[in-house]
Amino acid sequence: MEPATKQADTAAARPGPCSRWPDESVEIIRDVLDRAGDKWTTLVIAALQNGPLRYTDLQRAIPGISQRMLTLTLRQLHRDGLVTRTAYAEVPPRVEYALTNLGVTLLDIVVSLIDWAGAHHTDIKDNRRRFDAGQVR
Amino acid sequence: MEPATKQADTAAARPGPCSRWPDESVEIIRDVLDRAGDKWTTLVIAALQNGPLRYTDLQRAIPGISQRMLTLTLRQLHRDGLVTRTAYAEVPPRVEYALTNLGVTLLDIVVSLIDWAGAHHTDIKDNRRRFDAGQVR
DNA sequence: CCGCATCCTGAGCGATACTG
DNA sequence: CAGTATCGCTCAGGATGCGG
C-alpha cells in the first residue's frame, strides 16, 4: 500500500492512532483508555446499567471480584466522575452507587464490548483451538 | 470439565451483568473481555485500522510499547484470529500484520473507546483534580 | 530486519483480619 | 453494612541478548 520512503521528513508528526490529539493529551488518553478498558471497571459499569446498587449488591453482581478490588474500582470511578457515591446516614448504614451522565456515555461502549465478547467468544475459542493444534498459516 | 450436579455453592446462578449467556460462557466472555480491553490490544487494533503494517511500523505507531509486549500482543491477536500474520520469504524478511474480518468488528468498538477517551479526558482530568482537592460529596 | 527467550523487578491483586 | 489495613505472591512487562 504505502511506500516506506516517507519516513524521512515525518519527525514532527507521529503517524499513530492517537495523532488526532495534541501530544500532551496522549498520555492522559492512554490513562483513560487503560481505566475504561479495565476488567473490573467494565463489569462494574455494566452492573450499574439498570440503576443504583449498594456495595454488597455490586459484590454479588460481580461474582469474581474481591472486596479490595471493588472498593478500589469504585473509588477510581468516583474520582473520575463516572459514578456517584451516596451514603445514607442510617442504621444500618447504606451506600448506593450510580452512574453519572459521563458514566452512561461509557456504558454504551461497555455494553458493545460485552455484546461483542458474547457474540464472538465461540469463534475465538475455535480460532485458539485451531492455532494451538497446528501453527496455522 | 465439571460435574453438572453439584455446583450450587459458589457463583453458579447469580443475576449478574453477564446473565444473558449460559454460565459456561461467562468465563470465556470474561477472558475475551480482558483481552479486548487490554491496553496494548486496543492500541494495536487501532494502529491497524488503515491497513496492514509491518512489525517495526507498528512499533513506531505505538510509542510506548516494548518489543516484548508487541510480540506478545500480536501473537495473542493472531491466535484469537483477530489479525493475520503474513511473512514474506525475502531478503530482508518482511512480515505484515492486518486485521481479519473479526478484527474489524472489534475495531469499531475500539475506535469508539478511543474517541470516548479523547472526548472526555479533559472532563476526567478536571473531575480528578476536584476530587483530590477536597473529598467532594 | 523480524522476532523469540531469558532474567529480574515491582505493581496488582486475592485472602484475611479488623474498625466505624 | 461498608469499608480499611496488612501480608504474600503471582505475573505483567522492561531490558538485554541471540537466532532466522
Side-chain angles (χ1 to χ4, degrees), chain B residues 103-120:
Chain B
V104 172
T105 64
L106 182 56
L107 174 63
D108 289 337
I109 301 175
V110 162
V111 167
S112 301
L113 243 184
I114 292 180
D115 283 345
W116 186 89
H120 298 295

